[in-house]
Each structure stands twice: as structure tokens, then as C-alpha cells.
Amino acid sequence: MENTKLRRRVLATATATVAVGALALAGLTGVASAGPPTATTPAVSADSLSPGLLAAMERDLGLDADAAKSRIAAEYRAAAVAAGLEKSLGTSFAGARVSGNKADLTVSTTDASEAALITKAGARAEIVGHSLDRLEAVKDALDKAALSKAPKNVPVWYVDVEANRVVVNAASTSAAEAFVKAAGAGDKLVTVARSTEQPRALADIRGGDAYYMGGGGRCSVGFSVTRGGTQNGFVTAGHCGRAGTTTNGVNQQAQGTFQGSTFPGRDYAWVATNANWVPKPLVNGYGRGDVTVSGSTPSVVGASVCRSGSTTGWHCGTVQQLNTSVTYPEGTISGVTRTSVCAEPGDSGGSYISGSQAQGVTSGGSGNCRTGGTTYFQPLLPALQAYGLTLVTSGGGNPTTPPTTPPPTDQPGGTWAAGTTYAVGATVTYGGATYRCLQGHTAQAGWTPAAVPALWQRV
């Protein structure tokens, strides 16, 4: 099983450079020196937020255009501060979340002596009893048990950073207790919650556009990508097709072929397209203007997020939990993000975006867009890493080829440094080799150039 701590670092620290400058705080090596966000922090550019996205946020979140722009800017800043604090706090870090329309940031720690550091960085400090590492170890035990036998009547489990507990949602208390016992996870850190959720993969089969699988069915495009500098394509949900499955585009013309697909376990795939399809850094706004993708900064718990899909168009909500596990009829999916956004069959694979920052692709959920529901998305960065892909962005320049030779042994030395923000094209040395940055991000321990070909190319 994928290492939980590394997986969390992927989601929390591979932050992309935001063209509007709202993540300037993340460029500082020390969190304490960053200070709280101020009124002079650059706001979100109006050009980076489509009318369609703003309209969906007003409909689903009750925010007018000015309030939506202010909230997204605050969420960008919160994500940067949270990523830096996670690095500084280390094993005492217990999670981060935002709340309210002003996206006020709360960072939890098990060490009361670190409250001053958190406060100085511009966040509210919360002292809790259990670190995020400890809670995720419990969740890992549940994930391992589900791999061997998916639990019946236990659809979802996740780490709830606000409650500082692992939450198991189940149709019956006895089913949840049996699952926890079989996993050997113990019940001291677990809360069982009754739930009527019946999640399923949403395959009925530009981001958000429809495509059609050769064997039948429809899904939605996630985000445009390239591989090797010459091959164009897009990421989507793994349950939409298997390697070798052919696709037709929204115009019903021949489009491409699935090159890689993972489902269950995770839910990501990528399709290589033919020369007739040109990758654009856009997400379909469904009549209200397309959204331009400028990066891939992951959002924190509580942040606003919107989804584009070929069945229901634009819908918005908030991030509820990261690193969630959910059981579909086909098996258990781990590492997805739980949201309050609705979706319906055919939306699968479509784009999740916060402001102009790509978040992931629609996986599955329960409910619908008439009565509301819960939807899960597969985070984007693990998919890029798995297949050596580069996200197409408005400011990314020409993507370059990922390394095809084995990376050098992971060893210290060189100019690469955790805590530094790298822009596209920046070069560093590490382990005796030179690397060029493929996607803007804030570096942290574990995300060395040799280990992450989605972010670095060896030159």
C-alpha cells in the first residue's frame, strides 16, 4: 500500500505557482517569517475566475462575485501557510482547515508549545490529543483490511481533522464495529457514524467535456496533460476505461486511447489523444465562459471547490475531508477527497477546480443535483506522478520529457531545499544530478527531484 505520509505530502505540499501571487507566503523558507496575510496581499485576478464558476459559487454557496473572489484569495493564502506549518511542526502536526466566508485558517498540533508559531504564521492554533500521523495510521489499517475484503454496509471512512478522530460511516453500528475489529485498528480513536450513503462510481459513461468509450458509456474529461513533450492527452477517472479502451470526443470523432488506468484502489487514468486534439488549459464553463487553469495548488479542508461535468455542468461546494476511503460496488478506493458538491452519472472523470487551481477528477458519490449529495474526487497530483504527466496550464510554457532513466540514489547534497518555492523552468542540483522544474510548487522533505518526475526533469 502506498505510504500514507508520502501520500499526504503529495496532496499538501506539491503546490503550484499561482499567477496572481496569492501564494507569495509559500516562497519563504521559514513559516515564522511569513507573518499573517495582510490587506496588501494580492487579490485573485478577475481574469482567472470565469463567470460560470462565479455563478455556480453564488448558486451553491451563496457568495456574490466579490465575496467569491475574496474567499478564493484567502483559501490560496491559507493553503500556503498550512503547507509551511506542516513542515515546521513535523510529527506534532494534526491537520488544517478553513472555515467561514473569510476562510479563517485553523492549524492543529499536539504540542502546546507550538501555538505561538502557528499564531505568528497567521493561523488559529488548536491543541489536540492525536497527531495526523497517528490518525492516518489507524485509517491505513482500515484500508489494508478493505483491500482483502471490502466491508458490507460500511461505505466511507476518513480522518476528520476537526474532530481529531477517524470516522467510519456505516448503515449499521454492528457492521462498522466488526470492520474496525477485523482491521485490528482498535476503537479508541474511531467514531462510528450512522449513514445512508450508497456511493457508486458515476460512470454512465477542455475539462468537463464529454467523451465516449468504444465499448459504450460516457464520462468527462478531467484536465489536459502532456507526456514526453510531444504526446497530448487528458486525465480522467480510472473506472471509465481500461488500458486499450478507445474514445471518441464530444463531437463523436475519434479521439484517443486509454494508456493507463487504476481502479479500484485508486481512481485515475489517462488518455493519449490523436493529432486532431490540441490540449488547452481550460475547463468547460457550460455557457458562462471557460475557466483557465493556472496551477494545481491543493486546497485544505473547508475550502470552496467547483466541479465541471458533462451531465450536470457547474456545481460548487466545499472540501469536507482529505484522504478518504470509500467503498463502491466494485471495491474500495483510497486517497480521495470528500466534498459537498453534487454529481450524477456521466460527470465521472470531470474537473474539480478551486479558483484557477486544478484539484482532481470526479470519482463517485451518492445523491444527485436535484436533492443534493456527496461526491468524491481523485486528487490530481498522484495521477500525474503515476504516469509521468505534465498538467497544461496558462503559464506553464512548453512541457518537457520526464526522465526515462532510473533516478540517482536519493542522497543529500545540492541546491534543492525543502521549503523553497520553485517556478517552472528553475534548475537545481540534487544527488549529483541537475533537474529542471516542470510545474511550480513548494518543495518539502520527501519530494526530492529524483522521486517526483511529475515535478522535475533530469537534465
PDB file of all heavy atoms in Angstrom, residues 430-454:
ATOM      1  N   TYR A 430      20.749  17.945  -7.212  1.00  0.00           N
ATOM      2  CA  TYR A 430      20.428  17.052  -6.101  1.00  0.00           C
ATOM      3  C   TYR A 430      20.992  15.673  -6.395  1.00  0.00           C
ATOM      4  O   TYR A 430      20.817  15.136  -7.497  1.00  0.00           O
ATOM      5  CB  TYR A 430      18.915  16.948  -5.871  1.00  0.00           C
ATOM      6  CG  TYR A 430      18.569  16.193  -4.606  1.00  0.00           C
ATOM      7  CD1 TYR A 430      18.528  16.851  -3.379  1.00  0.00           C
ATOM      8  CD2 TYR A 430      18.341  14.832  -4.634  1.00  0.00           C
ATOM      9  CE1 TYR A 430      18.251  16.173  -2.206  1.00  0.00           C
ATOM     10  CE2 TYR A 430      18.067  14.136  -3.470  1.00  0.00           C
ATOM     11  CZ  TYR A 430      18.015  14.801  -2.261  1.00  0.00           C
ATOM     12  OH  TYR A 430      17.757  14.119  -1.103  1.00  0.00           O
ATOM     13  N   GLY A 431      21.682  15.099  -5.423  1.00  0.00           N
ATOM     14  CA  GLY A 431      22.224  13.758  -5.585  1.00  0.00           C
ATOM     15  C   GLY A 431      23.188  13.646  -6.749  1.00  0.00           C
ATOM     16  O   GLY A 431      23.266  12.604  -7.402  1.00  0.00           O
ATOM     17  N   GLY A 432      23.912  14.726  -7.053  1.00  0.00           N
ATOM     18  CA  GLY A 432      24.891  14.691  -8.125  1.00  0.00           C
ATOM     19  C   GLY A 432      24.326  14.916  -9.508  1.00  0.00           C
ATOM     20  O   GLY A 432      25.047  14.799 -10.498  1.00  0.00           O
ATOM     21  N   ALA A 433      23.020  15.238  -9.636  1.00  0.00           N
ATOM     22  CA  ALA A 433      22.399  15.466 -10.936  1.00  0.00           C
ATOM     23  C   ALA A 433      21.711  16.829 -10.949  1.00  0.00           C
ATOM     24  O   ALA A 433      21.438  17.420  -9.901  1.00  0.00           O
ATOM     25  CB  ALA A 433      21.387  14.369 -11.246  1.00  0.00           C
ATOM     26  N   THR A 434      21.433  17.330 -12.151  1.00  0.00           N
ATOM     27  CA  THR A 434      20.738  18.601 -12.327  1.00  0.00           C
ATOM     28  C   THR A 434      19.318  18.335 -12.812  1.00  0.00           C
ATOM     29  O   THR A 434      19.093  17.465 -13.657  1.00  0.00           O
ATOM     30  CB  THR A 434      21.467  19.484 -13.354  1.00  0.00           C
ATOM     31  OG1 THR A 434      22.799  19.748 -12.886  1.00  0.00           O
ATOM     32  CG2 THR A 434      20.737  20.823 -13.532  1.00  0.00           C
ATOM     33  N   TYR A 435      18.352  19.106 -12.266  1.00  0.00           N
ATOM     34  CA  TYR A 435      16.950  18.923 -12.606  1.00  0.00           C
ATOM     35  C   TYR A 435      16.318  20.262 -12.960  1.00  0.00           C
ATOM     36  O   TYR A 435      16.689  21.294 -12.398  1.00  0.00           O
ATOM     37  CB  TYR A 435      16.173  18.310 -11.437  1.00  0.00           C
ATOM     38  CG  TYR A 435      16.612  16.908 -11.073  1.00  0.00           C
ATOM     39  CD1 TYR A 435      17.697  16.701 -10.213  1.00  0.00           C
ATOM     40  CD2 TYR A 435      15.950  15.799 -11.582  1.00  0.00           C
ATOM     41  CE1 TYR A 435      18.103  15.423  -9.875  1.00  0.00           C
ATOM     42  CE2 TYR A 435      16.343  14.512 -11.248  1.00  0.00           C
ATOM     43  CZ  TYR A 435      17.419  14.323 -10.398  1.00  0.00           C
ATOM     44  OH  TYR A 435      17.824  13.055 -10.063  1.00  0.00           O
ATOM     45  N   ARG A 436      15.342  20.223 -13.887  1.00  0.00           N
ATOM     46  CA  ARG A 436      14.574  21.400 -14.257  1.00  0.00           C
ATOM     47  C   ARG A 436      13.142  21.233 -13.771  1.00  0.00           C
ATOM     48  O   ARG A 436      12.540  20.166 -13.913  1.00  0.00           O
ATOM     49  CB  ARG A 436      14.577  21.594 -15.774  1.00  0.00           C
ATOM     50  CG  ARG A 436      13.769  22.831 -16.241  1.00  0.00           C
ATOM     51  CD  ARG A 436      13.773  22.987 -17.756  1.00  0.00           C
ATOM     52  NE  ARG A 436      15.130  23.278 -18.233  1.00  0.00           N
ATOM     53  CZ  ARG A 436      15.851  22.439 -18.961  1.00  0.00           C
ATOM     54  NH1 ARG A 436      15.352  21.250 -19.286  1.00  0.00           N
ATOM     55  NH2 ARG A 436      17.058  22.766 -19.347  1.00  0.00           N
ATOM     56  N   CYS A 437      12.566  22.289 -13.198  1.00  0.00           N
ATOM     57  CA  CYS A 437      11.210  22.242 -12.656  1.00  0.00           C
ATOM     58  C   CYS A 437      10.179  22.243 -13.783  1.00  0.00           C
ATOM     59  O   CYS A 437      10.203  23.103 -14.660  1.00  0.00           O
ATOM     60  CB  CYS A 437      10.983  23.438 -11.733  1.00  0.00           C
ATOM     61  SG  CYS A 437       9.347  23.488 -10.973  1.00  0.00           S
ATOM     62  N   LEU A 438       9.263  21.260 -13.751  1.00  0.00           N
ATOM     63  CA  LEU A 438       8.211  21.151 -14.760  1.00  0.00           C
ATOM     64  C   LEU A 438       6.921  21.850 -14.343  1.00  0.00           C
ATOM     65  O   LEU A 438       6.166  22.305 -15.199  1.00  0.00           O
ATOM     66  CB  LEU A 438       7.893  19.671 -15.040  1.00  0.00           C
ATOM     67  CG  LEU A 438       9.040  18.815 -15.577  1.00  0.00           C
ATOM     68  CD1 LEU A 438       8.566  17.391 -15.766  1.00  0.00           C
ATOM     69  CD2 LEU A 438       9.555  19.390 -16.886  1.00  0.00           C
ATOM     70  N   GLN A 439       6.659  21.897 -13.027  1.00  0.00           N
ATOM     71  CA  GLN A 439       5.451  22.545 -12.521  1.00  0.00           C
ATOM     72  C   GLN A 439       5.808  23.318 -11.255  1.00  0.00           C
ATOM     73  O   GLN A 439       6.509  22.796 -10.387  1.00  0.00           O
ATOM     74  CB  GLN A 439       4.364  21.527 -12.196  1.00  0.00           C
ATOM     75  CG  GLN A 439       3.869  20.777 -13.412  1.00  0.00           C
ATOM     76  CD  GLN A 439       2.695  19.901 -13.073  1.00  0.00           C
ATOM     77  OE1 GLN A 439       1.656  20.386 -12.637  1.00  0.00           O
ATOM     78  NE2 GLN A 439       2.838  18.609 -13.270  1.00  0.00           N
ATOM     79  N   GLY A 440       5.321  24.544 -11.157  1.00  0.00           N
ATOM     80  CA  GLY A 440       5.601  25.339  -9.977  1.00  0.00           C
ATOM     81  C   GLY A 440       5.044  24.674  -8.722  1.00  0.00           C
ATOM     82  O   GLY A 440       3.936  24.144  -8.731  1.00  0.00           O
ATOM     83  N   HIS A 441       5.805  24.685  -7.637  1.00  0.00           N
ATOM     84  CA  HIS A 441       5.380  24.040  -6.400  1.00  0.00           C
ATOM     85  C   HIS A 441       6.271  24.483  -5.256  1.00  0.00           C
ATOM     86  O   HIS A 441       7.338  25.062  -5.462  1.00  0.00           O
ATOM     87  CB  HIS A 441       5.451  22.514  -6.531  1.00  0.00           C
ATOM     88  CG  HIS A 441       6.849  21.988  -6.694  1.00  0.00           C
ATOM     89  ND1 HIS A 441       7.559  22.108  -7.872  1.00  0.00           N
ATOM     90  CD2 HIS A 441       7.686  21.353  -5.810  1.00  0.00           C
ATOM     91  CE1 HIS A 441       8.752  21.555  -7.723  1.00  0.00           C
ATOM     92  NE2 HIS A 441       8.864  21.100  -6.487  1.00  0.00           N
ATOM     93  N   THR A 442       5.821  24.198  -4.034  1.00  0.00           N
ATOM     94  CA  THR A 442       6.624  24.427  -2.842  1.00  0.00           C
ATOM     95  C   THR A 442       7.202  23.095  -2.391  1.00  0.00           C
ATOM     96  O   THR A 442       6.462  22.149  -2.124  1.00  0.00           O
ATOM     97  CB  THR A 442       5.783  25.038  -1.708  1.00  0.00           C
ATOM     98  OG1 THR A 442       5.247  26.282  -2.164  1.00  0.00           O
ATOM     99  CG2 THR A 442       6.625  25.276  -0.474  1.00  0.00           C
ATOM    100  N   ALA A 443       8.523  22.996  -2.313  1.00  0.00           N
ATOM    101  CA  ALA A 443       9.194  21.726  -2.020  1.00  0.00           C
ATOM    102  C   ALA A 443       9.169  21.407  -0.534  1.00  0.00           C
ATOM    103  O   ALA A 443       9.233  22.304   0.303  1.00  0.00           O
ATOM    104  CB  ALA A 443      10.645  21.783  -2.506  1.00  0.00           C
ATOM    105  N   GLN A 444       9.075  20.113  -0.228  1.00  0.00           N
ATOM    106  CA  GLN A 444       9.199  19.643   1.139  1.00  0.00           C
ATOM    107  C   GLN A 444       9.921  18.306   1.159  1.00  0.00           C
ATOM    108  O   GLN A 444      10.109  17.667   0.117  1.00  0.00           O
ATOM    109  CB  GLN A 444       7.833  19.524   1.812  1.00  0.00           C
ATOM    110  CG  GLN A 444       7.251  20.863   2.214  1.00  0.00           C
ATOM    111  CD  GLN A 444       6.169  20.727   3.266  1.00  0.00           C
ATOM    112  OE1 GLN A 444       5.942  19.666   3.810  1.00  0.00           O
ATOM    113  NE2 GLN A 444       5.508  21.832   3.553  1.00  0.00           N
ATOM    114  N   ALA A 445      10.313  17.902   2.355  1.00  0.00           N
ATOM    115  CA  ALA A 445      11.031  16.643   2.514  1.00  0.00           C
ATOM    116  C   ALA A 445      10.211  15.510   1.925  1.00  0.00           C
ATOM    117  O   ALA A 445       9.012  15.411   2.127  1.00  0.00           O
ATOM    118  CB  ALA A 445      11.311  16.383   3.992  1.00  0.00           C
ATOM    119  N   GLY A 446      10.860  14.622   1.183  1.00  0.00           N
ATOM    120  CA  GLY A 446      10.182  13.512   0.539  1.00  0.00           C
ATOM    121  C   GLY A 446       9.882  13.783  -0.921  1.00  0.00           C
ATOM    122  O   GLY A 446       9.765  12.861  -1.716  1.00  0.00           O
ATOM    123  N   TRP A 447       9.781  15.085  -1.292  1.00  0.00           N
ATOM    124  CA  TRP A 447       9.520  15.438  -2.678  1.00  0.00           C
ATOM    125  C   TRP A 447      10.802  15.920  -3.355  1.00  0.00           C
ATOM    126  O   TRP A 447      10.873  17.005  -3.911  1.00  0.00           O
ATOM    127  CB  TRP A 447       8.399  16.487  -2.734  1.00  0.00           C
ATOM    128  CG  TRP A 447       7.092  15.794  -2.635  1.00  0.00           C
ATOM    129  CD1 TRP A 447       6.404  15.488  -1.504  1.00  0.00           C
ATOM    130  CD2 TRP A 447       6.357  15.230  -3.700  1.00  0.00           C
ATOM    131  NE1 TRP A 447       5.294  14.771  -1.807  1.00  0.00           N
ATOM    132  CE2 TRP A 447       5.227  14.597  -3.144  1.00  0.00           C
ATOM    133  CE3 TRP A 447       6.543  15.176  -5.085  1.00  0.00           C
ATOM    134  CZ2 TRP A 447       4.296  13.926  -3.929  1.00  0.00           C
ATOM    135  CZ3 TRP A 447       5.608  14.524  -5.854  1.00  0.00           C
ATOM    136  CH2 TRP A 447       4.497  13.909  -5.281  1.00  0.00           C
ATOM    137  N   THR A 448      11.825  15.050  -3.287  1.00  0.00           N
ATOM    138  CA  THR A 448      13.095  15.362  -3.922  1.00  0.00           C
ATOM    139  C   THR A 448      12.967  15.216  -5.433  1.00  0.00           C
ATOM    140  O   THR A 448      12.111  14.480  -5.923  1.00  0.00           O
ATOM    141  CB  THR A 448      14.187  14.411  -3.407  1.00  0.00           C
ATOM    142  OG1 THR A 448      13.812  13.062  -3.703  1.00  0.00           O
ATOM    143  CG2 THR A 448      14.358  14.558  -1.900  1.00  0.00           C
ATOM    144  N   PRO A 449      13.824  15.903  -6.205  1.00  0.00           N
ATOM    145  CA  PRO A 449      13.707  15.844  -7.664  1.00  0.00           C
ATOM    146  C   PRO A 449      13.755  14.426  -8.222  1.00  0.00           C
ATOM    147  O   PRO A 449      13.034  14.098  -9.159  1.00  0.00           O
ATOM    148  CB  PRO A 449      14.902  16.682  -8.135  1.00  0.00           C
ATOM    149  CG  PRO A 449      15.120  17.660  -7.034  1.00  0.00           C
ATOM    150  CD  PRO A 449      14.830  16.892  -5.773  1.00  0.00           C
ATOM    151  N   ALA A 450      14.580  13.570  -7.636  1.00  0.00           N
ATOM    152  CA  ALA A 450      14.692  12.206  -8.149  1.00  0.00           C
ATOM    153  C   ALA A 450      13.434  11.389  -7.915  1.00  0.00           C
ATOM    154  O   ALA A 450      13.160  10.427  -8.638  1.00  0.00           O
ATOM    155  CB  ALA A 450      15.880  11.508  -7.483  1.00  0.00           C
ATOM    156  N   ALA A 451      12.639  11.776  -6.926  1.00  0.00           N
ATOM    157  CA  ALA A 451      11.479  10.970  -6.542  1.00  0.00           C
ATOM    158  C   ALA A 451      10.192  11.392  -7.229  1.00  0.00           C
ATOM    159  O   ALA A 451       9.215  10.643  -7.212  1.00  0.00           O
ATOM    160  CB  ALA A 451      11.286  11.030  -5.028  1.00  0.00           C
ATOM    161  N   VAL A 452      10.164  12.583  -7.848  1.00  0.00           N
ATOM    162  CA  VAL A 452       8.900  13.103  -8.364  1.00  0.00           C
ATOM    163  C   VAL A 452       9.052  13.572  -9.815  1.00  0.00           C
ATOM    164  O   VAL A 452       9.210  14.759 -10.100  1.00  0.00           O
ATOM    165  CB  VAL A 452       8.393  14.269  -7.482  1.00  0.00           C
ATOM    166  CG1 VAL A 452       6.949  14.586  -7.835  1.00  0.00           C
ATOM    167  CG2 VAL A 452       8.505  13.936  -6.017  1.00  0.00           C
ATOM    168  N   PRO A 453       8.980  12.645 -10.783  1.00  0.00           N
ATOM    169  CA  PRO A 453       9.140  13.032 -12.190  1.00  0.00           C
ATOM    170  C   PRO A 453       8.024  13.916 -12.711  1.00  0.00           C
ATOM    171  O   PRO A 453       8.168  14.539 -13.757  1.00  0.00           O
ATOM    172  CB  PRO A 453       9.158  11.674 -12.917  1.00  0.00           C
ATOM    173  CG  PRO A 453       8.487  10.729 -12.001  1.00  0.00           C
ATOM    174  CD  PRO A 453       8.855  11.191 -10.606  1.00  0.00           C
ATOM    175  N   ALA A 454       6.874  13.974 -12.002  1.00  0.00           N
ATOM    176  CA  ALA A 454       5.806  14.878 -12.443  1.00  0.00           C
ATOM    177  C   ALA A 454       6.183  16.339 -12.226  1.00  0.00           C
ATOM    178  O   ALA A 454       5.631  17.219 -12.854  1.00  0.00           O
ATOM    179  CB  ALA A 454       4.511  14.565 -11.708  1.00  0.00           C
TER     180      ALA A 454
END
